[in-house]
Amino acid sequence: MSWVAAQELDPAGRADAEFEGIRAALRQALLEILTQAGFQAQADPSKGEVRVRPPS
C-alpha cells in the first residue's frame, strides 16, 4: 500500500515550499504512528512518498 499526496499538496511551484521542516516533522510523525501500530513504514523524502506494509 502507498499514499501519494494530491497534486495540490505537491510542493513544486508552491509559495510555501520553504516549509520542508514542517513536512519532515509530519513525515516523521506518520512513520512513528504507523510503526507503533505494527506496520512497516519507510519514507522516501526525495519522492515525497511513505511506503507502508501490513504488520508481519
Side-chain angles (χ1 to χ4, degrees):
M1 176 190 334
S2 67
W3 176 82
V4 178
Q7 184 176 352
E8 60 270 10
L9 297 178
D10 186 355
R14 289 184 51 164
D16 63 348
E18 72 270 12
F19 296 114
E20 181 54 36
I22 294 171
R23 281 191 291 280
L26 290 171
R27 187 181 309 113
Q28 185 61 35
L30 178 62
L31 289 173
E32 292 293 328
I33 291 166
L34 291 169
T35 301
Q36 289 181 19
F39 291 90
Q40 296 177 18
Q42 181 181 15
D44 185 348
S46 66
K47 293 183 179 179
E49 297 177 349
V50 174
R51 292 183 198 93
V52 182
R53 291 187 175 197
S56 42

